[in-house]
Amino acid sequence: MIDEDFTAVDFIQPSELETSVDSESNSAEIIVYPQREELNLDPEFTVKTSTKIRLALEELNCFEVVENQFQHWGITFCNAIALQPSNPAFVLKSTTTVIMAAPKGGHLEINFKYPIHKVCGLITSSRATVLSAYDVEGKKLAETRMNVSPHINSDCLNFPNAQLELEGLNIQKITFDTFDGQLILHHFHVEF
């Protein structure tokens, strides 16, 4: 199922990347679908600068552990599960599949084989959430946060959400951290 908020494009095979996605001729966002089988990628495969992608999280199965489904684009997750939130405070719209930090609540890590320079994701959380970016050596490059009113409690009808975005050179890892709370990630975008 495709999220109606975004227009879909065909999945681009790595072998088509050199001719189909070029920063001078096509700056459109590519929707990347999860792959569940090992792909034999061409060793010459490279990601073009200014390639913009959105991960089709809505194509993941509910309760699927998310790790290597987007590895064909060099993106791996740690401590992530796909689900359709049943807690009304987290519900965006019915049947929306999101990523939740689990089993360790409140911490989600995403690693990039190819350095990125921009990342953006919509977070829903009951607590303040921090998005941090790191280089290949683990040095923090940038940080941004979603502040939440201290008056929000677990009985709230709808938890706040915010788009968190970071830019930097050679980002190899990002983390989302919500202290003493849970977070969900949806509408996740990356620019190489």
Side-chain angles (χ1 to χ4, degrees):
M1 177 175 86
I2 301 298
D3 191 330
E4 299 90 23
D5 294 338
F6 296 93
T7 56
V9 297
D10 292 335
F11 172 73
I12 296 179
Q13 297 293 330
S15 60
E16 299 171 355
L17 187 59
E18 292 299 318
T19 57
S20 297
V21 179
D22 187 328
S23 61
E24 289 80 29
S25 64
N26 183 2
S27 62
E29 185 172 80
I30 299 167
I31 297 177
V32 177
Y33 294 91
Q35 299 291 306
R36 290 177 178 81
E37 56 188 57
E38 195 64 38
L39 295 177
N40 293 323
L41 297 181
D42 182 357
E44 300 298 315
F45 173 69
T46 57
V47 175
K48 296 276 192 183
T49 302
S50 298
T51 300
K52 300 173 188 174
I53 66 172
R54 179 180 71 82
L55 302 188
L57 303 178
E58 66 275 4
E59 293 296 317
L60 295 167
N61 297 319
C62 200
F63 301 112
E64 177 178 358
V65 173
V66 182
E67 293 175 336
N68 299 317
Q69 289 88 334
F70 300 98
Q71 186 174 359
H72 54 292
W73 276 81
I75 301 171
T76 56
F77 286 77
C78 183
N79 194 50
I81 189 168
L83 56 82
Q84 294 175 351
S86 59
N87 181 338
F90 281 105
V91 172
L92 306 164
K93 62 182 177 181
S94 61
T95 69
T96 299
T97 302
V98 299
I99 299 287
M100 181 176 224
K104 180 183 175 188
H107 176 80
L108 176 63
E109 181 179 311
I110 305 170
N111 294 283
F112 305 97
K113 180 178 181 181
Y114 311 107
I116 63 167
H117 78 270
K118 186 175 183 179
V119 63
C120 176
L122 191 58
I123 295 293
T124 303
S125 176
S126 62
R127 301 275 189 244
T129 300
V130 177
L131 167 59
S132 303
Y134 301 88
D135 67 11
V136 70
E137 296 170 353
K139 178 183 170 193
K140 188 182 285 188
L141 300 172
E143 180 179 284
T144 190
R145 66 182 55 242
M146 174 183 95
N147 291 318
V148 175
S149 167
H151 304 294
I152 297 285
N153 61 42
S154 60
D155 297 331
C156 183
L157 294 179
N158 292 92
F159 288 143
N161 57 56
Q163 182 171 303
L164 295 181
E165 182 176 312
L166 280 179
E167 290 188 54
L169 294 176
N170 298 318
I171 297 171
Q172 298 276 176
K173 175 177 91 171
I174 62 166
T175 60
F176 292 94
D177 289 295
T178 298
F179 306 101
D180 288 331
Q182 284 291 342
L183 68 94
I184 60 171
L185 168 66
H186 39 107
H187 301 103
F188 186 66
H189 306 258
V190 171
E191 189 170 335
F192 294 92

